[in-house]
Each structure stands twice: as C-alpha cells, then as structure tokens.
C-alpha cells in the first residue's frame, strides 16, 4: 500500500530544495507526496531557525500535529512526525523535552539517513530517532539523484553551510561548515532538470558565491576548484537552459570572474540579491561582515559597470545591538545611493548561542519597530519606482506558472518581477516578449507583444537595457 508523506517547508530556498530531495529519499520506501495533512501517514516539518518567530512557529505547529497523531493512534492508524531543517539541528535535545511526541529529528546534513531513522523510530516508538550530528561527509555524497520534478523554474543547491560567522546568524551552526558540490555533479543535475522541463535554474547556497567545487576529473578537496563564475559559464552551454540565477551572495566573495560572467553571459539574469545588512561601518564591524559600506558601494559599482541594467536586492537588519540613530541614518543613505529593486528587512532577533545575543546595548523593541517602518517605506518607494519604470517596455517573460484566472499565465521578467499575461496554457515553459501595461504593488501586468517568438528563437541579446533610476 502506498504511504503518503506531507512535507511542510519553512525558511529559505535551500529548504525548498531539500524538501524535494527528502521526497526523493522517501520514494523508494513507498512514500508518495501528500497534498494535505489529512491524507498523510507521515509529516516532515522542514524548519527554519533564523529568527525567533520562525523557530516558534514550529512548536505551535507541533502542538496541532500531536493532537492529530493521538486521534490517528486512537483509531489504530499510524502517524510519524519528523522535524528536519535548522530548528532540528539547533534544538534537537530541547525538542525531546518540549515535544517528546516527535518521532524523528534530523539535521540538514543527515537527510540521506531518513530511512534508517524511520526504522529506528518504528522499532522504539517511546524513544524515537534523533540524529542531529553533522556527518563527516556531505549528504550530497549519499542522496539519490534528484528526481522530483520542479517545473520550469528549478532550484539547484551547489553550496551549503557557511564559515563567515556573522555575529547575529545561526546558519554556521545549523548548516555546518562551507562545502561545495563537485562541478560534474552540478552539471549532471542541471542537465537532468533541463531534461525534465526546467528553463531557468537558480543556483543555491547560503554563501553561493563562495562556491569552489572540485573541477571535473579532480578529486573532492584536491586542487583549487572552480569558482561560481566559471560554473555559470559551463551551465550556460546547456542547451535548453535559458536563464541562470544564483542566491545568496556575500559582498566579500564577489570576485572578478563572477563579475565578468555578468558582463559576458546573457543567460545570467540581471538581478542580484546581495545582502548588505547595514550601511553603518561600526555596525558592520560588530556584525563581523568584514567589509565597510564603501566597499559594498564599490562592488555594486563594478557589477553595474559590467552589466548596466543590473537590478539589486538586499537583506537588512535594523536594531542590531548598539545601533544608534546615526548608524540607522547611514543605512538609509546607503539605500538611497544604491537603489534597490526589491529588499527584505528584519528587526534584529537575538539568537541563542550567537555572539550578538550577548552584546550590550540591545535596542528596545519600539525603536526597532520605528526604524523598520521607516526603512521599509523607503524600500517600497524604490520598488514602486522600479516597477513603474517597466510600464511601456517590452521584455522577455518566462512563463512558469498558471495565472490568477483561466486564460492567464504568470512568469518572471529578467529582473524577477512577477508578470501576469493573458496567454494560452500551451505557452507554459516558453519565453515570450511581453509589453508591460501596468505596475501593481508586487507584480506587473502585460500583453504578448505582436512579434512574440517561441523560446528557441528569442535572441538573448535582445533583452532590453534598463538602468534602474
Ligand atoms: N547568507 C546570507 C543570509 C542568510 S540568512 C547572507 O550572508 O546575507 C537571511 C537573512 O536573514 C540575512 O541576510 C539577515 O538579514 C537575516 N537574519 C539573519 N539572522 C538574523 C537575526 N538574528 N535577526 C534578524 N534577521 C536575521
Ligand atoms: Fe549567516 Fe550569511 Fe553571515 Fe553566513 S554570511 S553567517 S549565512 S548572514
Ligand atoms: Fe532558515 Fe536554515 Fe535557511 S535557519 S534561512 S532554513 S539555512
């Protein structure tokens, strides 16, 4: 009998990718993916630990799952609860106390061991199976080939973990040391994704531009490996792959080779998420970001010189310990100088075990809230301006989803803006020229340009130049 697993994903794109890979691991055990909790025999929460709110969500969800499990057991059924992801890694032991009904706890580097953990949990239900040790080798050496279809726009993790140790961040503790997958494994997975219909691939890593994967034919750990720029060039040669993106990058790892790829590789999209966190040098130093605000401005300048229509996005933290009004004003200045097409901003959330949580001069909640509102208003004005500038332009849109209503498709502009268009369902997976008619809060609306061409004949060089300002 087929069993069903419901996988609920929190947090970043790496978790989205990992959830698909967990489905790949569970498929040989007879698990199909369930569309809802109601018809699931097992649930996996793939969790996020980045801010307190994200972690707390998991415990409230677990309360609901415990009630469901009791009802199932009462009627003689089975129901396994597994917690994966960054909360599992960070709080495995605490979870055993706070939620003893959890059957399996599995950290982000141990997904290939899920079959064994399920066995263990079933044979000793009272104790369950907790596995949050970082294995010496990478999960990528053990996972089955990625098989879960991802559609037109696919994620591909090429790098995992982080050695940067920003003082606010849990990632180095939850994901472990920085590690790059070998070039050959990445290219093989990319070809399979394209074979399954992917036309856009987003390369993922907590620190993706630190990528240094073993070159083809080189043993892992031997040699210096390929950087991300070289990897992007090799991926661009895959026939059928139209668009390449990558996220998330650190300003320090933006090397010449990668910047040159932005100049030379038309498939590399002109949109870059390059988090700066703060515009104050004093705050950046206490965050251990290891660059100042002007170094960031210079990197952005070099990127824009290479690709003049590049649009930028960032993450910001307001209310980091010791952040003064002058520090915050420096962040607003940086935003004014750079101009962001889009951005995420957060109130600083002290995370247990990170250095910043112990720093003096924690900023009061009300101050954090005021600063966040002010920063978000500025970012919103920039985003609106960027989206309005698209109206009247014609740009290639890759249709990757059904639209809001029948007869509509949705896709992305080169600058990652969602675009809604009246189009035939058969156009799904194609890239078409679209004339932008209107800009809404978070999306654009357009119509197919008269000379719309199918994927194969859209010349990349025809993508419009667009300076955001
Ligand atoms: N590797 C990426 C960030 C990954 S975490 C980078 O280097 O930028 C995603 C974002 O969450 C971060 O960019 C940061 O803005 C935010 N974040 C991380 N820890 C946080 C904390 N303790 N409080 C508030 N926001 C945080
Ligand atoms: Fe966290 Fe990113 Fe800093 Fe690494 S570089 S510690 S993932 S914020
Ligand atoms: Fe969250 Fe872990 Fe990603 S903490 S942001 S799920 S790396």
């Amino acid at each position: 009998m087929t069993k069903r697993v419901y996988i609920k994903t929190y947090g970043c794109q790496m978790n989205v990718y990992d959830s698909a890979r967990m489905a790949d691991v569970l498929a040989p055990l007879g698990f199909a993916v369930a569309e809802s909790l109601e018809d699931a025999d097992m649930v996996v929460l793939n969790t996020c630990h980045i801010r307190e709110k994200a972690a707390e969500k998991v415990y409230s969800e677990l309360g609901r799952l415990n009630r469901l499990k009791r009802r199932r057991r009462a009627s003689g059924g089975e129901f396994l609860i597994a917690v994966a992801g960054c909360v599992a890694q960070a709080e495995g032991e605490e979870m055993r106390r706070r939620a003893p009904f959890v059957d399996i706890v599995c950290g982000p580097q141990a997904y290939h061991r899920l079959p064994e953990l399920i066995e263990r949990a079933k044979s000793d239900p009272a104790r369950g199976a907790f596995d949050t040790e970082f294995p010496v080798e990478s999960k990528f050496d053990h996972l089955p080939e990625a098989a879960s279809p991802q559609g037109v726009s696919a994620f591909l993790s090429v790098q995992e973990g982080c050695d940067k140790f920003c003082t606010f961040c849990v990632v180095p503790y939850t994901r472990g040391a920085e590690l790059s997958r070998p070039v050959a494994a990445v290219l093989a997975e990319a070809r399979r994704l394209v074979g399954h219909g992917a036309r856009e691939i987003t390369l993922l890593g907590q620190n993706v531009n630190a990528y240094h994967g073993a070159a083809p034919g080189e043993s892992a750990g031997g040699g210096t490996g390929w950087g991300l720029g070289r990897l992007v060039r090799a991926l661009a040669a895959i026939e059928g792959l139209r668009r390449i993106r990558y996220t998330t990058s650190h300003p320090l790892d933006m090397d010449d080779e990668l910047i040159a790829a932005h100049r030379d590789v038309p498939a590399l999209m002109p949109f870059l998420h390059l988090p700066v966190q703060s515009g104050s040098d004093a705050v950046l130093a206490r965050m251990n970001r290891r660059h100042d605000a002007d170094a960031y401005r210079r990197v952005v300048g070099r990127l824009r010189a290479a690709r003049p229509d590049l649009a930028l996005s960032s993450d910001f933290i307001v209310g980091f310990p010791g952040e003064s009004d002058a520090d915050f004003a420096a962040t607003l200045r940086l935003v004014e100088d750079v101009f962001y097409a889009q951005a995420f901003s957060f109130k600083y959330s002290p995370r247990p075990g990170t250095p910043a949580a112990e720093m003096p001069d924690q900023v009061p909640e009300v101050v954090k809230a005021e600063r966040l509102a002010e920063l978000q208003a500025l970012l919103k004005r920039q985003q609106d301006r960027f989206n309005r500038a698209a109206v009247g332009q014609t740009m290639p849109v890759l249709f990757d989803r059904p639209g809001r209503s029948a007869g509509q498709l949705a896709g992305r502009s080169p600058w990652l803006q969602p675009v809604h268009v009246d189009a035939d369902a058969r156009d799904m997976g194609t890239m078409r020229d679209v004339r932008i008619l209107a800009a809404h809060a978070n999306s654009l609306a357009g119509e197919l340009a008269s000379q719309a061409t199918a994927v194969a004949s859209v010349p990349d060089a025809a993508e419009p130049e667009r300076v955001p300002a």
Side-chain angles (χ1 to χ4, degrees), residues 268-467:
L268 185 56
M269 288 293 99
F271 177 90
L272 180 63
H273 184 58
L274 190 64
V276 66
Q277 313 297 353
S278 167
S280 152
D281 292 345
V283 171
L284 286 168
R286 282 200 304 280
M287 286 177 163
N288 190 32
R289 292 292 288 183
R290 293 185 271 171
H291 62 79
D292 59 20
D294 280 342
Y296 181 86
R297 286 183 177 90
R298 283 195 298 274
V299 172
V300 168
R302 288 169 61 212
L303 280 158
R304 283 195 167 135
R307 180 87 207 220
D309 63 343
L310 187 82
L312 283 156
S313 146
S314 177
D315 294 337
F316 295 92
I317 294 177
V318 300
F320 186 80
E323 185 188 67
S324 65
D325 286 339
D327 291 322
F328 177 62
T331 298
L332 297 177
R333 261 196 320 275
L334 181 80
V335 172
E336 297 279 10
D337 290 350
V338 172
F339 186 89
Y340 290 99
Q342 185 199 302
F344 302 96
S345 41
F346 313 98
K347 291 189 266 187
Y348 169 68
S349 168
R351 305 308 289 129
T354 59
E358 308 298 324
M359 285 182 186
D361 304 322
Q362 297 284 328
V363 174
E365 199 52 35
V366 281
V367 177
K368 287 185 193 171
E370 274 169 24
R371 288 180 186 166
L372 186 68
E374 191 174 347
L375 175 61
Q376 290 187 337
L378 172 60
L379 291 167
K380 177 88 178 70
R381 285 198 298 278
Q382 293 194 340
Q383 184 177 356
D384 286 347
R385 193 159 132 217
F386 182 74
N387 285 342
R388 276 199 314 271
V391 176
Q393 294 204 39
T394 298
M395 55 184 72
V397 172
L398 176 64
F399 292 118
D400 58 5
R401 280 157 295 155
R404 288 199 196 93
S405 45
Q408 272 203 338
L409 289 177
R412 298 272 181 179
S413 78
W415 301 276
L416 209 63
Q417 297 144 298
V419 186
H420 295 266
V421 180
D422 286 339
D424 196 287
R426 281 175 306 192
D427 286 339
M428 181 73 125
T430 66
M431 190 146 76
R432 305 287 298 264
D433 281 346
V434 169
R435 201 150 59 87
I436 303 303
L437 300 172
H440 305 301
N442 295 304
S443 66
L444 304 174
E447 62 181 10
L448 290 176
S450 51
Q451 286 188 322
T453 23
V455 158
S457 57
V458 175
D460 285 316
E463 295 196 353
E465 285 233 327
R466 199 144 153 271
V467 183

Side-chain angles (χ1 to χ4, degrees), residues 66-87:
N66 187 28
R67 290 191 288 280
L68 187 62
K69 178 173 171 173
R70 280 209 224 102
R71 279 205 304 279
R72 287 285 179 86
R73 290 263 160 106
S75 56
E78 214 184 65
F79 192 68
L80 280 179
I81 302 177
V83 180
C86 291
V87 178

